[in-house]
């Protein structure tokens, strides 16, 4: 009995221990699962380096220091855009247009080139001019004055950016003018007639001094017709109703005036190079010269200072000159006017042009046409900038002759803008007539090898072929 009780007691204790959580002997631990690597972010594509690109720009000496200044601006630009390289083709005023035309026709146009607004149609017609609004930031394009952009546009398409709006007329040696009987202050404030002008240049002509010279060698002959032509009522190549104006009697009258001046010896009977007309005035070999701009006051004063300092930098054989900026004389039946021109930079296509390249081209073109760069150019030229960033950086020059300032202001108010609606085809045809007919015939007129009537007849024939008789003016404007 005792043995049975002891056995029962042992079983009760065993069950009690199990109830208190007594576990059987520990088993061999199992191997822990391998540690999983932390989740990595998706790999980001490396930022692409900008594609290197080279931009070419062709410029004449827009100002006395422009071709040097542009090198500085390029260096500054490439610091901002290291992947871009800019190469400059420097030209003279005499060879710029011819070289540009040759390159464009060969499909090798520079990416950017300086042009006058009258030449834009030629490159549009050739198919190499670029609609820059497609490649420029609209906010940057809005920086430029609309009236200046209008000059750089054809049929509401903008092909370039303006550098300046300038007036071009006549310059003179003031002391010589007064000695020849001219009332300089009255001429500057009120203008003068062609008859008064003719009398003055007659009185100012001597054996070693012409009364009047004009830059009219080669293609610059067109400058005479544009600038002096406003005095004959020829404000533009086309009238407001888009008829070709140079077939009018006004043109014949202008050509007859040139014929008379050369035959009388008041004006050279040969073409004067652009770089020589002011030099002739500085040397006392010419009393009045053209084309002239207000900025020439700086050139004359600088030469006077060099003469006084005797530092060897003055124009050879030059004399002290007090510069007078003058309006063009007005012929009978015409209203007083002044030739205003917009020169700017246009973007051009060549055989290697791509859309991405054109974005870079317009980026650089905008850079050198705005801000401190254009303010420096216009200050040198004594002109107001035509973009807001340029005006913000502009500092007005001091010490200018008050008569010249007043004369320039009066002339600016007389500028007649080109008519709206002239097509690229009309513009290109007018330039062709100018370059291939009028300019060579004008040189023959100067040399006495053609009469005014013969020049007029030749240009009229070419104009009727280009525009039709109904597209040309007959009679007086």
């Amino acid at each position: 009995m005792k043995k049975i009780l002891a056995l029962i007691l042992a079983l009760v204790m065993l069950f009690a221990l199990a109830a208190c959580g007594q576990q059987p002997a520990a088993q061999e631990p199992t191997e822990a699962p391998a540690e999983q690597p932390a989740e990595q972010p998706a790999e980001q594509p490396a930022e692409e380096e900008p594609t290197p690109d080279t931009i070419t720009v062709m410029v004449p000496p827009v100002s006395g220091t422009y071709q040097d200044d542009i090198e500085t601006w390029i260096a500054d630009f490439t610091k901002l855009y290291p992947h871009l390289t800019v190469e400059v083709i420097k030209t003279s005023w005499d060879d710029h247009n011819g070289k540009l035309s040759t390159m464009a026709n060969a499909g090798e146009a520079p990416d950017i080139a300086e042009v006058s607004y009258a030449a834009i149609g030629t490159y549009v017609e050739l198919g190499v001019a670029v609609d820059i609004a497609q490649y420029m930031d609209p906010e940057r394009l809005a920086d430029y004055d609309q009236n200046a952009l209008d000059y750089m546009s054809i049929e509401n398409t903008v092909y370039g950016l303006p550098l300046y709006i300038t007036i071009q007329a006549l310059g003179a040696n003031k002391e010589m003018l007064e000695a020849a009987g001219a009332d300089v202050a009255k001429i500057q404030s009120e203008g003068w007639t062609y008859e008064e002008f003719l009398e003055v240049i007659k009185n100012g002509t001597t054996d070693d001094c012409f009364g009047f010279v004009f830059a009219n060698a080669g293609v610059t002959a067109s400058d005479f017709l544009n600038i002096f032509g406003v005095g004959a009522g020829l404000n533009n190549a086309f009238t407001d109703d888009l008829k070709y104006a140079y077939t009018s009697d006004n043109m014949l009258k202008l050509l007859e005036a040139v014929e008379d001046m050369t035959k009388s010896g008041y004006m050279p009977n040969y073409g004067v190079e652009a770089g020589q007309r002011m030099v002739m005035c500085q040397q006392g070999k010419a009393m009045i010269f053209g084309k002239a701009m207000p900025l020439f006051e700086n050139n004359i004063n600088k030469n006077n200072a060099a003469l006084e300092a005797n530092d060897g930098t003055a124009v050879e054989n030059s004399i002290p000159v007090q510069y007078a900026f003058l309006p063009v004389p007005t012929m009978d039946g015409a209203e007083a006017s002044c030739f205003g021109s917009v020169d700017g930079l246009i973007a051009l296509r060549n055989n290697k042009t791509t859309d991405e390249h054109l974005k870079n081209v317009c980026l650089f073109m905008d850079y050198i046409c705005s801000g401190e760069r254009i303010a420096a150019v216009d200050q040198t030229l004594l002109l107001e900038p035509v973009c807001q960033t340029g005006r913000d950086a502009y500092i007005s020059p001091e010490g200018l002759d008050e008569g010249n300032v007043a004369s320039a202001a009066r002339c600016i108010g007389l500028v007649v803008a080109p008519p709206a609606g002239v097509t690229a085809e009309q513009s290109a045809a007018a330039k062709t007539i100018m370059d291939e007919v009028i300019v060579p015939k004008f040189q023959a007129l100067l040399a006495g090898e053609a009469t005014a009537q013969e020049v007029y007849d030749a240009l009229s024939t070419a104009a009727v072929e280009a525009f039709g008789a109904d597209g040309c003016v007959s009679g007086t404007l």
Side-chain angles (χ1 to χ4, degrees), residues 11 170 173 179 220 229 236 327 351 355 409 457 473 477:
L11 290 172
L170 305 178
N173 181 318
T220 59
N236 292 288
N351 292 333
D355 282 351
D457 290 343
V473 174
L477 287 170

Side-chain angles (χ1 to χ4, degrees), residues 72-86 367:
T72 301
W73 301 333
I74 288 171
D76 293 340
F77 178 78
T78 53
K79 288 177 183 177
L80 297 174
Y81 304 96
H83 64 294
L84 299 180
T85 300
V86 182
Y367 181 78

